[in-house]
Amino acid sequence: MSVNQHTHAGPPYGHPQPGYQGYQQPAYGGQPLPGVPHSPYGAYNGPMPGYQQPVPPQDSVRAPPTSGAPPPATGTSLPSGHLGYSQFGQGDVQNGIPTSAAPVQRPPAPQPFLPGSAPAPVSQPPTFQQYGPPPPSVQQLSNHMAGMTIGSIPACAPPPAGLGYGPPTSVPPVSGSFSATGSGLYTPYTASQGAPPPSVSQGLPLAQPPFSGQPVPTQRLPTEVPGFAPPLSSTGIEPSSYPPTTGAPRPPPMPGPPLSGQTVAGPRMSQPNHVSSPPPPTTLSGPHPGPPMSGLHGPPPPTHPPQPGYQMQQNGSFGQVRGPQPNYGGAYPGTPNYGSQPGPPPKRLDPDSIPSPIQVIEDDRSNRGSEPFVTGVRGQVPPLVTTNFLVKDQGNASPRYIRCTSYNIPCTSDMAKQSQVPLAAVIKPLATLPPEETLPYLVDHGESGPVRCNRCKAYMCPFMQFIEGGRRFQCCFCSCVTEVPAHYFQHLDHTGKRVDFYDRPELSLGSYEFLATVDYCKNNKFPSPPAFIFMIDVSYNAVKSGLVRLICEELKSILDYLPREGNMEESAIRVGFVTYNKVLHFYNVKSSLAQPQMMVVSDVADMFVPLLDGFLVNVNESRTVIASLLDQIPEMFADTRETETVFGPVIQAGLEALKAAECAGKLFIFHTSLPIAEAPGKLKNRDDKKLINTDKEKTLFQPQTSFYSNLAKDCVAQGCCVDLFLFPNQYLDVATLGVVTYQTGGSIYKYAYFQLETDQDRFLNDLRRDVQKEVGFDAVMRVRTSTGIRATDFFGAFYMSNTTDVEMAGLDCDKTITVEFKHDDKLSEDSGALLQCALLYTSCAGQRRLRIHNLSLNCCTQLADLYRNCETDTLINYLAKYAYRGVLNSPVKAVRDSLINQCAQILACYRKNCASPSSAGQLILPECMKLLPVYLNCVLKSDVLQPGPEVTTDDRAYIRQLVTSMDVAETNVFFYPRLLPLTKADVDSDSLPAAIRNSEERLSKGDIYLLENGLNIFVWVGVNVQQGLIQNLFGVSSFSQISNTLSTLPVLENPFSKKVRSIIDMLHLQRSRYMKLIIVKQEDKLEMLFKHFLVEDKSLTGGASYVDFLCHMHKEIRQLLS
């Protein structure tokens, strides 16, 4: 459940997206901002119309969390790939709140920033409205309190006494209503439905004793439960799970008898999420005390003993609850019959008591980051994508190549339908491996080629069974028996394994490559090395902005870095150049020429290539002619007045050139405007914001003509992949222009309102990486499965001419293909299920290869086993792609509703079949899916599914295409961005500071934060940041002098500047695109854009906050169960 996942929550609060991928947005009226060099966002002119501007009460401080979140287990490990976090002393003041002796009251509207200084007006509505008057009857309140126990319930515990869900009548909604503006997605929580329960007991901190002796305010679980062995999976969250919101003062401890098995020691300050102190051990190995569970009660216990000092109980609550707990604040206000007086009703569900993505990520890092992940065992769930771990291939493909939504799949289709958990694999066939891991071995079987099953044509792999002394093998996919070719024969040892088992990658490893024979090649002849053709728009906008000159300068050096096979001295790739506006210009750069020659084709309706010899050349041979051409192009078009462009003929020209050269290749097209010139593929401006939230909205995502789909088909047949770099100043119709790129397996990059000074770094970095990265051409992928399941649906950037083969003109190391499987028969627990992904492609040296990835999964007859082996990050990746494809054919609202419904069914099925009987008022989530609600809400609030008024149609189409081929790590940080407190970074270590949750209430005015989502990096500066820090980071003396137009931080010689720049460099290395840097000053107009990414908060486009959405999901689940 990785946490960096993140939807672009609803559109930014009424402000334009950071340019997606750093694209600048048009100002509201499509005008660039005055005074700011084409800033990347819409004109944020102060407060949003229609939203009142609350002014936080002066001197108010956020009170301690109402529900007892135990202190955080902070700082155990960190964002992908870095070392430990800095340790801060326990007495540190957190988030600018001084520790004071007396608890403070929560103000009516929670403050946007944790105070520490006089609050300033914020231009954002209060996130939560208060609860109104206390509920009339204490009974009703307890109904809510019983509310949401997120955490499985004892398998056979009696339901909590007196916690029936009586019909509450007058508890007002928790935080406004759920109604999404204009979308009608969520029905408001009306009084008749009852307010969402105020307390989510997360297996909950509610019932957990504190760490030895920490003062932690908390409520007791309203029920007494005898101690049972904990069932495995439900979210019995370790006590360390939810950090208090901020280091607010704690109420004094209440004396009381210690729980059984609990030691009481001196108090320790609890700390907020980003201050680290050594956490208590979370999981140790060894069996759980208590009887093993069986049947459908709930998954068997995990293999780690209870926390020290806790007597673990079924449920994930700990110890028996009897009377006031030591070190706990008194009973929860308002709970009847627990030895306490009813108090005022709680204001709202405490965010610290609900599952925290940050905590889940930290726990996985500390538990699974130190040991290598060895792939020898069937059906192992890998560490999260946010954990930095090493993989040892011992027979199953690395999770870097394949991740599944579940590693234990139902034996029958009925069981799969009942659970509604999609069975899918996210496959990244050419994924880049870290240097410490071995690349797949290349196996050459000579002219006979790879050994395959006679019937299903599966390739030899570790799961094939050799029989009859090694003379034949039985296929693990279709059970057919095939003769072993004489040259491949080998004797078996006493266990039935071949004697050469460890010498042959295809018998002992999950991933490997075969050299393909001529039978695997087009027209039965080996391919030529591929070619790269650079096609540059030289219309007025491109020349005037300095883009043409920039591209030409960069190409001079970049051509030395074309991809090449490991041991080759130079790249085998040939290059060609075309420029265009309304007509096309081809260049002859043959090495024997003194000067390049230009040939113009003005008949764009019937495109042809005017020269064969001299168009595609070897870079080293033609170096001087190419350099001369690249110097001349900017000069030749310097005075152009041509503003119109063509687009279809440009792709046709590149395709024809590759056909003539009889090779595959890639077109790099640099394009600036809607192609309105008279030519095939001409488009009209059809942008229409009025279609949003209507049944016709889907047309905005569909291409406006079939011309490009037909062209894409021809490109795929030739192996012509198209990468598109767009530089629009207005609507460009990405939905149509992107069709060829998308169907050929290419990439789109978009730089709206391109400005040399602010955007050139990003563009040049993207271009360099795009030209240099590993790519396979003329690729075909097929996924085979063992009997019982089959691949039925595919998502990604590719073309399919039949139901089984995924065809891509190009496939690079960043692209994923997501495959969904359905049952067509029963599976057996003994044999499990197998997948084999075979990719046939041409390498950049022109070698035809087969890359094979194998994976074995377990099969189960108990739903509990399915829910215990799911991977939420992969599930969200699949659901987002499924929804983003859905908008092509269905109204956006219907897509959102079906997502919510499917997730409610997944969780309701778990509740009904795997959790023990308990009050309907309890929300119980499976342990490995406890982040499903928060991440799903992020997908629902993303710009594709819930755009704000300033998100352009092009942005939505662009993001939709981008997400469709993202891997799990990318969707994770895209939907739930990573938020790092830079001021907490240890300047003396290489590690990143511990991440914090994506909510405004986690920000302090005295700190600087960094937020990244894979496309943008925001640096948010609080108004009260010390002058010294501002000087060290920005090189200016005060907050008001910080420029928000910086695209890079100044290089200053001081530890803080070096540390922040090294963090940004580290993040750039982890992402496939160069992220745009945006400086956001608190209370500045850009802040609305930044807040759009604080995805746990309510969004101005009507997207629910995490707390509200969890309540909404709970209501949906209860409706399904009743």
Side-chain angles (χ1 to χ4, degrees):
M1 291 134 279
S2 353
V3 147
N4 303 332
Q5 229 138 329
H6 158 183
T7 49
H8 274 8
Y13 292 97
H15 291 264
Q17 284 322 73
Y20 262 105
Q21 211 359 69
Y23 317 90
Q24 294 187 290
Q25 297 325 102
Y28 285 103
Q31 303 311 318
L33 296 180
V36 184
H38 270 93
S39 114
Y41 335 91
Y44 294 90
N45 303 327
M48 288 293 301
Y51 287 98
Q52 78 272 44
Q53 316 285 313
V55 177
Q58 297 300 309
D59 305 316
S60 52
V61 174
R62 182 184 154 99
T66 36
S67 86
T74 47
T76 36
S77 72
L78 58 226
S80 48
H82 310 297
L83 311 167
Y85 295 149
S86 53
Q87 302 283 327
F88 274 71
Q90 300 176 348
D92 275 19
V93 173
Q94 288 88 26
N95 283 2
I97 296 205
T99 33
S100 75
V104 255
Q105 292 309 306
R106 184 195 290 273
Q111 302 322 294
F113 300 98
L114 291 173
S117 56
V122 241
S123 49
Q124 193 202 354
T127 329
F128 296 93
Q129 286 138 24
Q130 259 179 300
Y131 262 59
S137 90
V138 173
Q139 169 60 45
Q140 283 168 9
L141 181 61
S142 76
N143 295 340
H144 294 313
M145 280 232 0
M148 294 157 78
T149 312
I150 301 196
S152 75
I153 301 304
C156 27
L163 292 179
Y165 236 79
T169 48
S170 61
V171 186
V174 169
S175 90
S177 61
F178 224 90
S179 55
T181 39
S183 78
L185 166 64
Y186 303 114
T187 46
Y189 294 126
T190 58
S192 60
Q193 292 159 340
S199 76
V200 174
S201 84
Q202 171 79 43
L204 194 77
L206 292 188
Q208 295 165 355
F211 288 140
S212 15
Q214 288 157 318
V216 181
T218 185
Q219 318 76 272
R220 284 167 291 117
L221 194 66
T223 68
E224 276 199 25
V225 183
F228 281 88
L232 153 109
S233 87
S234 307
T235 280
I237 295 222
E238 277 100 0
S240 58
S241 288
Y242 308 114
T245 333
T246 63
R250 303 274 169 236
M254 267 191 72
L259 286 182
S260 42
Q262 178 191 333
T263 53
V264 181
R268 182 181 115 208
M269 279 289 287
S270 67
Q271 299 163 340
N273 238 345
H274 49 266
V275 178
S276 43
S277 63
T282 27
T283 55
L284 308 159
S285 53
H288 251 309
M293 308 295 305
S294 64
L296 279 177
H297 287 312
T303 50
H304 35 269
Q307 305 294 332
Y310 290 73
Q311 173 185 329
M312 195 142 175
Q313 218 182 267
Q314 175 71 17
N315 187 4
S317 356
F318 299 82
Q320 302 182 21
V321 181
R322 306 190 189 81
Q325 306 293 309
N327 301 332
Y328 271 51
Y332 195 78
T335 28
N337 316 327
Y338 295 108
S340 63
Q341 298 305 311
K347 295 283 187 293
R348 63 174 173 111
L349 198 56
D350 181 352
D352 282 325
S353 62
I354 57 182
S356 157
I358 302 299
Q359 195 62 50
V360 170
I361 287 174
E362 285 297 329
D363 291 347
D364 193 75
R365 282 197 183 124
S366 52
N367 299 335
R368 305 195 65 182
S370 50
E371 293 297 308
F373 177 68
V374 181
T375 72
V377 183
R378 182 174 86 189
Q380 285 183 101
V381 181
L384 298 182
V385 283
T386 41
T387 297
N388 192 30
F389 60 99
L390 269 185
V391 180
K392 288 198 172 149
D393 185 342
Q394 291 192 359
N396 282 293
S398 158
R400 302 190 205 288
Y401 294 123
I402 307 184
R403 277 189 177 261
C404 294
T405 52
S406 178
Y407 287 80
N408 199 333
I409 63 180
C411 282
T412 65
S413 61
D414 289 348
M415 194 172 150
K417 284 194 188 97
Q418 187 184 356
S419 74
Q420 287 286 313
V421 175
L423 305 176
V426 178
I427 306 173
K428 194 175 185 181
L430 298 180
T432 309
L433 299 183
E436 312 82 84
E437 293 177 21
T438 317
L439 291 170
Y441 289 98
L442 180 60
V443 179
D444 184 358
H445 284 312
E447 290 191 8
S448 57
V451 178
R452 304 176 68 177
C453 165
N454 272 345
R455 182 198 287 156
C456 72
K457 299 291 185 249
Y459 294 86
M460 179 53 66
C461 71
F463 313 121
M464 297 289 190
Q465 196 66 45
F466 287 88
I467 53 176
E468 296 176 27
R471 286 188 295 279
R472 305 171 82 189
F473 68 90
Q474 183 168 27
C475 177
C476 51
F477 295 95
C478 70
S479 305
C480 174
V481 173
T482 302
E483 293 283 334
V484 173
H487 71 88
Y488 198 71
F489 174 78
Q490 186 52 272
H491 296 285
L492 308 183
D493 66 11
H494 64 286
T495 64
K497 255 186 192 168
R498 281 173 55 123
V499 185
D500 61 355
F501 176 80
Y502 290 108
D503 302 331
R504 291 195 176 271
E506 72 273 22
L507 299 182
S508 53
L509 299 176
S511 301
Y512 41 87
E513 292 201 312
F514 290 121
L515 205 51
T517 58
V518 75
D519 308 333
Y520 292 86
C521 302
K522 236 184 229 169
N523 308 325
N524 277 8
K525 66 185 226 200
F526 284 113
S528 307
F532 282 2
I533 303 177
F534 297 92
M535 316 185 86
I536 307 167
D537 174 347
V538 288
S539 63
Y540 178 75
N541 279 344
V543 174
K544 181 172 140 266
S545 65
L547 182 63
V548 173
R549 187 174 297 279
L550 181 69
I551 293 169
C552 292
E553 279 305 311
E554 182 61 26
L555 286 179
K556 287 184 205 169
S557 56
I558 215 171
L559 295 177
D560 289 332
Y561 298 98
L562 298 176
R564 56 175 179 244
E565 295 295 340
N567 50 6
M568 292 174 56
E569 299 235 332
E570 63 173 53
S571 174
I573 293 173
R574 290 169 298 160
V575 297
F577 303 88
V578 172
T579 55
Y580 67 93
N581 39 45
K582 271 202 322 203
V583 299
L584 276 76
H585 323 104
F586 293 79
Y587 297 93
N588 183 344
V589 282
K590 197 172 172 178
S591 57
S592 57
L593 295 174
Q595 282 292 318
Q597 294 173 345
M598 175 196 214
M599 296 184 166
V600 180
V601 176
S602 50
D603 182 6
V604 289
D606 182 19
M607 186 43 63
F608 67 98
V609 178
L611 72 163
L612 287 179
D613 190 31
F615 179 63
L616 294 178
V617 297
N618 172 293
V619 174
N620 281 337
E621 290 170 10
S622 296
R623 184 174 297 278
T624 51
V625 193
I626 291 173
S628 168
L629 169 68
L630 294 172
D631 283 336
Q632 289 177 39
I633 288 175
E635 305 310 326
M636 280 193 287
F637 298 100
D639 301 324
T640 184
R641 283 275 159 282
E642 186 53 73
T643 54
E644 293 187 358
T645 57
V646 295
F647 186 71
V650 180
I651 297 175
Q652 287 173 326
L655 172 60
E656 293 303 323
L658 294 177
K659 272 186 187 166
E662 297 185 347
C663 67
K666 186 182 268 199
L667 312 183
F668 294 84
I669 303 181
F670 305 91
H671 189 78
T672 60
S673 59
L674 190 71
I676 54 172
E678 207 46 63
K682 170 185 174 179
L683 300 179
K684 59 179 192 288
N685 186 338
R686 53 157 185 168
D687 190 16
D688 186 0
K689 280 286 180 68
K690 292 198 282 295
L691 298 182
I692 293 179
N693 292 324
T694 69
D695 285 349
K696 288 194 176 158
E697 183 171 4
K698 61 189 177 210
T699 59
L700 296 175
F701 295 110
Q702 298 164 352
Q704 58 171 286
T705 158
S706 60
F707 173 83
Y708 290 100
S709 307
N710 298 329
L711 182 54
K713 189 170 159 184
D714 296 340
C715 287
V716 172
Q718 180 57 40
C720 169
C721 176
V722 178
D723 279 3
L724 192 50
F725 291 81
L726 296 172
F727 305 87
N729 287 336
Q730 56 195 21
Y731 178 71
L732 190 75
D733 204 348
V734 173
T736 305
L737 297 189
V739 166
V740 180
T741 297
Y742 186 66
Q743 294 191 6
T744 58
S747 306
I748 298 192
Y749 299 85
K750 181 164 159 290
Y751 311 87
Y753 300 108
F754 179 81
Q755 295 244 282
L756 269 187
E757 55 280 9
T758 52
D759 296 312
Q760 79 171 35
D761 277 354
R762 189 161 53 97
F763 162 56
L764 295 180
N765 275 287
D766 283 341
L767 177 60
R768 284 169 201 149
R769 188 169 188 282
D770 197 57
V771 168
Q772 295 171 32
K773 67 186 173 187
E774 183 188 357
V775 59
F777 293 95
D778 235 334
V780 183
M781 186 182 99
R782 182 175 283 192
V783 178
R784 293 179 174 84
T785 51
S786 52
T787 312
I789 53 170
R790 62 193 171 88
T792 55
D793 207 353
F794 301 85
F795 303 83
F798 52 73
Y799 174 77
M800 290 187 83
S801 54
N802 58 35
T803 56
T804 54
D805 296 335
V806 173
E807 301 173 52
M808 293 153 290
L811 172 68
D812 64 48
C813 55
D814 298 322
K815 296 285 185 302
T816 60
I817 293 95
T818 301
V819 185
E820 186 180 9
F821 302 97
K822 291 262 169 46
H823 287 75
D824 56 7
D825 204 346
K826 281 198 171 67
L827 294 165
S828 90
E829 284 189 278
D830 300 336
S831 54
L834 303 175
L835 317 177
Q836 182 178 80
C837 161
L839 176 78
L840 174 65
Y841 71 99
T842 301
S843 75
C844 58
Q847 203 176 48
R848 202 70 177 146
R849 295 182 178 182
L850 284 150
R851 180 169 288 204
I852 313 294
H853 297 298
N854 303 288
L855 186 63
S856 59
L857 303 172
N858 287 329
C859 296
C860 58
T861 52
Q862 302 293 338
L863 282 165
D865 292 326
L866 163 68
Y867 283 102
R868 192 180 305 110
N869 290 281
C870 288
E871 231 260 308
T872 298
D873 292 327
T874 311
L875 191 56
I876 288 290
N877 179 285
Y878 164 83
L879 290 171
K881 290 172 180 176
Y882 182 77
Y884 281 16
R885 185 177 68 185
V887 298
L888 289 172
N889 306 307
S890 310
V892 173
K893 180 183 182 303
V895 172
R896 293 158 52 90
D897 289 346
S898 73
L899 269 184
I900 293 174
N901 184 42
Q902 180 168 7
C903 288
Q905 289 192 348
I906 291 171
L907 298 174
C909 174
Y910 174 80
R911 173 76 154 90
K912 185 175 172 189
N913 300 289
C914 308
S916 52
S918 59
S919 144
Q922 287 174 312
L923 170 59
I924 302 177
L925 300 173
E927 173 63 20
C928 64
M929 284 191 186
K930 64 190 177 194
L931 298 181
L932 188 60
V934 62
Y935 287 164
L936 178 71
N937 189 36
C938 293
V939 175
L940 294 169
K941 295 200 293 189
S942 65
D943 294 327
V944 173
L945 298 183
Q946 196 170 39
E950 72 306 318
V951 177
T952 67
T953 305
D954 276 345
D955 279 333
R956 296 177 75 198
Y958 173 67
I959 291 300
R960 198 189 75 76
Q961 286 203 14
L962 220 50
V963 168
T964 307
S965 35
M966 277 185 183
D967 69 11
V968 180
E970 289 172 318
T971 49
N972 173 278
V973 74
F974 180 76
F975 289 118
Y976 192 98
R978 176 151 58 163
L979 182 59
L980 305 173
L982 295 178
T983 21
K984 301 282 189 285
D986 178 357
V987 294
D988 300 320
S989 90
D990 291 338
S991 64
L992 291 173
I996 59 172
R997 292 173 66 172
N998 281 325
S999 172
E1000 190 176 341
E1001 62 187 25
R1002 311 276 166 178
L1003 304 179
S1004 148
K1005 293 184 175 186
D1007 287 322
I1008 300 175
Y1009 298 86
L1010 178 150
L1011 181 144
E1012 64 123 354
N1013 72 342
L1015 296 186
N1016 301 291
I1017 291 180
F1018 292 91
V1019 172
W1020 182 93
V1021 188
V1023 286
N1024 295 348
V1025 172
Q1026 292 170 2
Q1027 202 173 335
L1029 283 176
I1030 290 175
Q1031 184 70 53
N1032 284 344
L1033 190 56
F1034 299 102
V1036 295
S1037 56
S1038 70
F1039 178 81
S1040 60
Q1041 292 174 301
I1042 299 171
S1043 163
N1044 55 12
T1045 60
L1046 293 174
S1047 58
T1048 51
L1049 290 175
V1051 176
L1052 303 172
E1053 288 304 311
N1054 65 72
F1056 185 59
S1057 172
K1058 285 178 182 167
K1059 176 65 183 177
V1060 172
R1061 285 180 290 113
S1062 80
I1063 287 174
I1064 289 174
D1065 291 344
M1066 199 187 283
L1067 298 179
H1068 278 309
L1069 289 174
Q1070 292 173 20
R1071 306 288 169 223
S1072 61
R1073 289 169 181 248
Y1074 194 84
M1075 295 178 281
K1076 180 186 183 86
L1077 180 71
I1078 300 171
I1079 307 293
V1080 178
K1081 292 155 69 174
Q1082 184 180 353
E1083 295 163 13
D1084 187 59
K1085 50 184 182 274
L1086 272 185
E1087 198 184 22
M1088 286 311 221
L1089 175 64
F1090 171 76
K1091 286 179 182 174
H1092 170 53
F1093 296 94
L1094 298 176
V1095 291
E1096 289 197 21
D1097 298 339
K1098 195 168 174 177
S1099 73
L1100 287 190
T1101 52
S1105 68
Y1106 174 20
V1107 169
D1108 288 355
F1109 185 69
L1110 196 61
C1111 296
H1112 181 69
M1113 283 302 286
H1114 185 204
K1115 190 188 85 189
E1116 294 280 323
I1117 292 165
R1118 285 175 51 213
Q1119 281 176 347
L1120 288 171
L1121 292 173
S1122 60

